[in-house]
Amino acid sequence: MATNSPLLIGITGGIGSGKSTVAKVFEILGIPVYYADDRAKWLMSNNPELKSEISKAFGSQSYLNGILNRSYLAETVFSDPEKVIKINSIVHPVVALDFKEWAAVQKSPYVLKEAALIFETEGHKHLDAVINVSSPLRIRISRILMRDPHRSEEQINHIINQQMPDEAKNELADFVIKNVDNKLLIPQILKIHEQLKARGN
Ligand code: ATP
């Protein structure tokens, strides 16, 4: 890594843990944040090589008039675990490269990559450190039910069961932020921010 490159820090957490909320606080502190899941969706719609690879793998119905056919992919790809592995193997390398290129031009001691899956995809091996945002399950479920009224508790539990348990992520993480109602977030964020700034400078 070039000496002027920022440290690459992952920020992850299970569904509803509050990782996007925490990432926004780091943004307010001036830290550039790469929202990997949003960017992956954008690349799937806009990167010509990626579009062509997805069409080759899952059929021309993957795009309608050049626009990503989300309902087709949801029905035929995201419901089949083998196809999920396949689409991830196509999309992840493109996102990884895009993140590297983005990070290389940021002027900051460190940058954050916010993603639901980091440890699950071994993404931590390409990062300097990872922050896990951790919250008890019952709080996460109630937050998601409030945020996404279209989702049932059963659907949320299904997603949770597909993700690595929070305890395992806490073990692997370099920093853990406890996002519990009675625990103040900002002091925890400021403490990590100071440490990362010192390491990155
Ligand atoms: P996802 O994996 O679904 O993207 P996430 O981990 O990014 O979820 P957020 O979207 O940040 O989670 O938070 C989930 C919901 O909980 C949001 O509506 C957010 O405003 C709320 N929330 C997060 N943290 C807190 C908190 N400490 N107090 C109150 N509400 C919170």
Side-chain angles (χ1 to χ4, degrees):
M1 195 184 299
T3 44
N4 288 335
S5 299
L7 288 174
L8 307 179
I9 310 297
I11 180 161
T12 191
I15 180 170
S17 60
K19 59 191 166 298
S20 312
T21 304
V22 171
K24 288 197 179 91
V25 179
F26 278 100
E27 259 188 307
I28 292 167
L29 295 171
I31 297 305
V33 181
Y34 182 94
Y35 292 92
D37 301 334
D38 294 344
R39 186 67 182 167
K41 285 182 198 143
W42 187 89
L43 288 165
M44 285 166 75
S45 295
N46 294 284
N47 180 297
E49 291 83 33
L50 184 54
K51 286 173 80 171
S52 142
E53 280 214 48
I54 290 172
S55 295
K56 236 191 278 165
F58 303 108
S60 55
Q61 312 93 296
S62 305
Y63 292 87
L64 291 177
N65 299 322
I67 294 168
L68 188 68
N69 187 349
R70 288 180 195 279
S71 55
Y72 168 77
L73 288 177
E75 277 164 32
T76 63
V77 178
F78 291 108
S79 56
D80 178 338
E82 273 185 25
K83 288 185 180 158
V84 171
I85 292 172
K86 173 85 182 156
I87 198 161
N88 283 344
S89 76
I90 295 171
V91 176
H92 279 164
V94 178
V95 177
L97 181 64
D98 184 67
F99 169 64
K100 259 191 154 176
E101 287 172 356
W102 171 88
V105 295
Q106 303 303 318
K107 301 266 174 283
S108 178
Y110 71 97
V111 297
L112 290 182
K113 180 183 192 181
E114 191 256 22
L117 305 178
I118 287 185
F119 296 120
E120 291 89 338
T121 58
E122 312 240 304
H124 58 298
K125 294 189 175 158
H126 307 283
L127 296 166
D128 295 299
V130 178
I131 301 166
N132 189 48
V133 180
S134 175
S135 298
L137 269 183
R138 63 182 169 77
I139 294 180
R140 290 165 55 194
I141 293 168
S142 69
R143 282 181 189 147
I144 295 298
L145 286 171
M146 283 224 288
R147 191 195 62 186
D148 305 338
H150 60 280
R151 282 182 158 145
S152 68
E153 195 162 338
E154 196 189 345
Q155 286 170 328
I156 298 166
N157 277 317
H158 180 71
I159 295 171
I160 287 171
N161 290 334
Q162 289 178 323
Q163 297 181 333
M164 183 185 279
D166 206 24
E167 300 71 34
K169 283 188 199 159
N170 284 343
E171 288 274 315
L172 290 168
D174 303 272
F175 302 95
V176 175
I177 292 179
K178 299 258 184 220
N179 185 13
V180 190
D181 291 349
N182 61 4
K183 180 120 187 177
L184 285 172
L185 270 182
I186 307 291
Q188 299 180 73
I189 295 171
L190 288 176
K191 190 172 168 195
I192 295 171
H193 177 61
E194 291 307 326
Q195 288 181 46
L196 290 174
K197 262 197 322 188
R199 260 174 74 179
N201 276 328

